[in-house]
Amino acid sequence: MDTVDELMAALHACRGAWDAPDRSGDPVDLHDHALQTAALLRRARPSDKELQLAGLVHDIGHLLRPGDDAHHAEVAADAVRGLLGARVAALVRLHVPAKRYLAAVEPARGLSPQSALTLGVQGGPMTREEVADFEADPHAEDAIELRQADDAGKVVGLDAGVMEDWREVLDLVAATTAGERQARV
Ligand SMILES: [Fe+2]
Ligand SMILES: [Fe+2]
């Protein structure tokens, strides 16, 4: 995805799109899930725009490649890396490993029925070695914060604003990313 307009179009297209194409999955559509996750992160980390945007876009893999639960995080990360930068892409990619991590270190923690179901195809709870590797990742703490918002952002009927609220933040982070790329060449 090369422009904020293109990404905004994809986010709008999340209205009426679901993590499971047959609607057997989570009870809110991808559009409301994106807005709720981003709003929770804005409350938890008001100054971290990149984390908030990672929350906003983390599940667009379900839109871009329906039915591929196992790879939806990588698909989304690849789609936004050029536009929103390496950190946002890393946090998006880590939202599934963070779920596998939390399933290993806090097995009693509740997941939505759909998240529990897809945990299997995503590799199940992390092994002890995987836990150690995950904890060594500089993005681990932020990825866990994102995952907690992800798991909480599935409330039917909760108003978390409108997608256009995020255009300005997307423009800002996209401009910073383009500026950094320019500075490197
Ligand atoms: Fe996801
Ligand atoms: Fe999600």
Side-chain angles (χ1 to χ4, degrees):
M1 246 170 265
D2 299 323
T3 64
V4 169
D5 279 343
E6 217 180 315
L7 179 53
M8 280 300 296
L11 288 165
H12 281 297
C14 285
R15 166 73 74 210
W18 304 79
D19 57 335
D22 64 358
R23 290 205 51 181
S24 61
D26 282 325
V28 293
D29 67 8
L30 293 172
H31 175 275
D32 289 1
H33 178 52
L35 286 177
Q36 290 183 24
T37 305
L40 287 165
L41 289 165
R42 185 168 50 194
R43 197 180 312 158
R45 299 272 196 88
S47 64
D48 193 343
K49 302 294 180 209
E50 290 182 346
L51 179 61
Q52 295 161 26
L53 290 187
L56 188 74
V57 304
H58 76 281
D59 268 343
I60 58 165
H62 287 305
L63 179 86
L64 301 174
R65 208 190 285 172
D68 189 358
D69 277 315
H71 301 108
H72 78 280
E74 285 93 346
V75 170
D78 290 346
V80 301
R81 186 173 292 108
L83 188 63
L84 301 178
R87 178 166 175 257
V88 172
L91 293 172
V92 167
R93 185 181 61 76
L94 285 171
H95 87 270
V96 170
K99 167 174 149 183
R100 297 184 55 230
Y101 171 79
L102 289 168
V105 301
E106 285 177 42
R109 188 173 165 273
L111 280 172
S112 74
Q114 179 66 4
S115 286
L117 190 75
T118 54
L119 180 62
V121 297
Q122 293 162 347
M126 282 184 169
T127 63
R128 209 178 310 179
E129 293 80 48
E130 287 174 320
V131 163
D133 285 349
F134 182 83
E135 286 174 345
D137 190 310
H139 299 297
E141 212 176 300
D142 297 334
I144 291 167
E145 186 85 51
L146 193 162
R147 186 68 221 186
Q148 282 161 342
D150 182 3
D151 290 335
K154 303 177 178 182
V155 181
V156 176
L158 179 74
D159 181 3
V162 295
M163 204 52 86
E164 288 299 325
D165 292 343
W166 290 96
R167 187 183 285 272
E168 215 171 305
V169 186
L170 284 167
D171 280 333
L172 192 84
V173 171
T176 307
T177 303
E180 282 165 1
R181 196 169 29 237
Q182 208 105 63
R184 273 201 307 274
V185 289

